[in-house]
Amino acid sequence: MSKVEEFLTTDEEQEIVDAILTAERHTSGEIRVHIEATAKIDHFSRAQQVFHFLKMDNTKDENGVLLYVAVKDKKFVIYGDKGIDKAVPRGFWETTKEVIASNFKKGQFKQGIVEGILKAGKELEKHFPWHHTDTNELNDAISKG
């Protein structure tokens, strides 16, 4: 089995998808998780590539958020679209990063991702509240590379 396949169990992956559904319940923001073994370029640039590959830059309000995890490298990136960057204060993602990092340091990877997603959802809700006309624009499944 590869590092990516060993990273989370099927049940843990479902808990992450459930967290995405919960987080998106109150925001028009779109959250995705991408997991791969390693990045051949710097992690921020790789997150940008994956963001584009997953068509996350095609949302109506430019409010997609990618949580990118490179398992073997032990690195993660939270990457938000232009609409988010225009709407939120500087350092917006810092507390979300801290929640994820503190769990990852303890080896609690699923918990870190779940808590990060829920924190991101609460933050996005302030700037991108859900409206009855909103639709889920992106797949909620975890993507893997």
Side-chain angles (χ1 to χ4, degrees), residues 4 9 15 24 32 58 70 89 93 99 106 113 140 143:
V4 174
T9 67
E15 287 182 61
E24 290 181 353
R32 296 231 33 207
N58 292 338
W93 294 117
V99 165
K106 297 178 214 169
I113 294 170
D140 296 321
S143 63

Side-chain angles (χ1 to χ4, degrees), residues 1-13 16 33-38 67-76 100 103-114 142-145:
M1 285 203 331
S2 75
K3 288 267 189 202
V4 174
E5 291 168 340
E6 296 170 357
F7 186 62
L8 299 166
T9 67
T10 304
D11 288 343
E12 288 173 327
E13 287 186 14
I16 290 169
V33 174
H34 180 81
I35 300 170
E36 61 187 19
T38 187
L67 174 53
Y68 168 84
V69 180
V71 176
K72 187 176 173 188
D73 302 342
K74 298 182 179 173
K75 300 280 186 182
F76 72 91
I100 296 169
N103 279 284
F104 277 23
K105 285 176 186 168
K106 297 178 214 169
Q108 299 170 339
F109 303 110
K110 183 271 305 179
Q111 191 63 30
I113 294 170
V114 166
I142 296 171
S143 63
K144 297 178 183 175

Side-chain angles (χ1 to χ4, degrees), residues 25-140:
R25 193 172 294 142
H26 300 288
T27 179
S28 63
E30 297 286 341
I31 302 170
R32 296 231 33 207
V33 174
H34 180 81
I35 300 170
E36 61 187 19
T38 187
K40 292 179 177 44
I41 58 176
D42 75 273
H43 296 93
F44 185 82
S45 295
R46 180 63 183 144
Q48 285 178 307
Q49 284 181 338
V50 171
F51 190 89
H52 180 70
F53 176 76
L54 295 175
K55 300 189 181 337
M56 293 185 69
D57 47 4
N58 292 338
T59 60
K60 177 180 59 129
D61 294 323
E62 298 180 319
N63 60 355
V65 177
L66 175 66
L67 174 53
Y68 168 84
V69 180
V71 176
K72 187 176 173 188
D73 302 342
K74 298 182 179 173
K75 300 280 186 182
F76 72 91
V77 173
I78 301 171
Y79 185 82
D81 205 353
K82 296 178 283 212
I84 294 172
D85 288 342
K86 290 177 190 172
V88 303
R90 189 179 227 38
F92 179 74
W93 294 117
E94 290 311 308
T95 56
T96 304
K97 287 179 186 176
E98 290 168 10
V99 165
I100 296 169
S102 68
N103 279 284
F104 277 23
K105 285 176 186 168
K106 297 178 214 169
Q108 299 170 339
F109 303 110
K110 183 271 305 179
Q111 191 63 30
I113 294 170
V114 166
E115 288 183 22
I117 289 166
L118 296 175
K119 178 100 174 100
K122 286 197 181 306
E123 295 297 324
L124 288 172
E125 183 180 349
K126 297 173 189 172
H127 302 278
F128 299 96
W130 184 86
H131 300 289
H132 71 282
T133 57
D134 288 337
T135 59
N136 191 4
E137 297 179 75
L138 298 174
N139 188 325
D140 296 321

